[in-house]
């Protein structure tokens, strides 16, 4: 659902992992400071984005809270354009990806607390974690992308081909037969085929059709 909404709003799908960092996608998550729900909206912010009023609290509604989080992140992104003008920063020197990183940091802290660092670093986020006065905020983006990489690694490992099965005794006998039958007299071929058939039956595995066909053919000749 989040990924679909990201595509519809032309924003990075990484906010899926932002939601996991915020609440582990737990609608009942709550912080001592008053943040609540999937996206951990504080009351004041929730009211500003239509999630909270005197009669209802939609911070635990998956779709409505996601819509609000997308709007908030887009607003944070657009704020960086205003900071360019305010701090006389050439907008061409700040990439689209960089702006989203600043939007993520602003989500975790607040735009007013992040703007100072945007000015200091001239829109370049690489050293933000060094100058940030909060360990949580400094590591916030790393946490989001760390979750992404951990899940990506898990998915890749889960899709690896299973280890090849050890051939059964019946399979081994049949392989040996296929490699040697042309040097065997017909009676020996028949005996070998019948033993292969018995092994497949004993192991409750399907008998290769060619084994049955050859047994019938050799039996008729003999």
């Amino acid at each position: 659902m989040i990924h679909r909404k990201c595509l519809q709003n032309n924003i990075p799908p990484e906010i899926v992992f932002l939601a996991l960092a915020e609440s582990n996608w737990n609608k009942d998550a709550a912080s001592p400071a008053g943040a609540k729900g999937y996206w951990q909206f504080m009351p004041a912010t929730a009211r500003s984005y239509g999630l909270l009023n005197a009669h209802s609290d939609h911070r635990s509604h998956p779709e409505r809270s996601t819509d609000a989080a997308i709007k908030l992140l887009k607003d944070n992104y657009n704020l960086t354009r205003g900071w360019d003008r305010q701090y006389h920063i050439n907008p061409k020197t700040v990439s689209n990806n960089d702006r989203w990183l600043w939007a993520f940091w602003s989500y975790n802290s607040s735009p007013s607390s992040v703007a100072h660092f945007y000015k200091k670093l001239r829109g370049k986020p690489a050293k933000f974690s060094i100058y940030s006065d909060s360990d949580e905020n400094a590591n916030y983006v790393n946490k989001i992308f760390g979750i992404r990489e951990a899940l990506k690694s898990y998915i890749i490992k889960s899709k690896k081909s299973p280890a090849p099965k050890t051939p059964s005794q019946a399979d081994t006998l049949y392989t040996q037969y296929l490699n040697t039958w042309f040097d065997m007299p017909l009676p020996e071929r028949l005996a070998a085929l019948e033993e292969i058939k018995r092994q497949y039956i004993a192991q409750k595995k399907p008998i290769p059709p060619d084994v049955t066909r050859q047994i019938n053919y050799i039996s008729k000749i003999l």
Side-chain angles (χ1 to χ4, degrees):
M1 178 270 290
I2 301 174
H3 188 267
R4 170 173 52 81
K5 288 182 178 291
C6 288
L7 296 179
Q8 291 170 348
N9 287 275
N10 195 30
I11 71 169
E14 275 78 11
I15 76 162
V16 170
F17 308 107
L18 185 150
L20 290 175
E22 286 290 340
S23 69
N24 200 28
W25 200 242
N26 174 12
K27 69 181 180 67
D28 297 319
S31 76
K36 180 182 175 183
Y38 296 110
W39 297 91
Q40 290 294 280
F41 273 93
M42 293 291 286
T45 310
R47 281 191 287 270
S48 298
Y49 286 86
L51 292 178
L52 182 64
N53 57 44
H55 308 290
S56 59
D57 184 345
H58 297 292
R59 287 179 288 176
S60 295
H61 189 286
E63 296 217 17
R64 292 186 65 163
S65 63
T66 296
D67 288 336
I70 287 173
K71 290 177 184 177
L72 173 54
L73 283 162
K74 289 179 78 171
D75 286 345
N76 289 349
Y77 174 92
N78 290 328
L79 274 175
T80 65
R81 300 286 187 185
W83 294 341
D84 290 343
R85 294 188 295 271
Q86 182 179 354
Y87 303 131
H88 308 291
I89 297 171
N90 183 352
K92 293 182 180 179
T93 64
V94 184
S95 71
N96 187 58
N97 287 341
D98 287 347
R99 294 186 190 281
W100 281 114
L101 295 181
W102 289 108
F104 287 178
W105 276 311
S106 295
Y107 187 98
N108 177 248
S109 182
S110 70
S112 58
S113 63
V114 172
H116 165 73
F117 298 104
Y118 190 90
K119 177 184 178 181
K120 182 180 182 71
L121 299 172
R122 311 304 292 168
K124 297 295 184 182
K127 294 183 178 180
F128 176 81
S129 60
I130 298 174
Y131 292 102
S132 176
D133 51 7
S134 163
D135 288 341
E136 179 188 353
N137 199 225
N139 294 318
Y140 187 67
V141 167
N142 290 335
K143 183 177 181 180
I144 292 170
F145 286 93
I147 291 171
R148 182 187 71 171
E149 291 307 306
L151 291 175
K152 182 171 150 186
S153 175
Y154 173 80
I155 291 169
I156 290 172
K157 288 180 180 178
S158 69
K159 287 185 176 180
K160 284 184 177 179
S161 300
K165 294 181 179 179
T166 303
S168 66
Q169 185 176 353
D171 292 329
T172 301
L173 285 174
Y174 188 38
T175 299
Q176 291 173 350
Y177 172 81
L178 292 175
N179 291 329
T180 58
W181 69 266
F182 42 83
D183 289 330
M184 299 167 63
L186 285 179
E188 289 183 22
R189 282 180 60 188
L190 181 59
L193 288 165
E194 287 178 338
E195 177 58 26
I196 291 168
K197 181 178 179 180
R198 282 193 292 272
Q199 289 291 339
Y200 275 110
I201 293 172
Q203 294 169 29
K204 297 181 180 180
K205 297 183 64 179
I207 302 167
D210 197 49
V211 170
T212 302
R213 184 186 63 78
Q214 288 190 59
I215 288 175
N216 293 336
Y217 174 74
I218 296 172
S219 296
K220 288 179 182 178
I221 294 177
L222 294 176

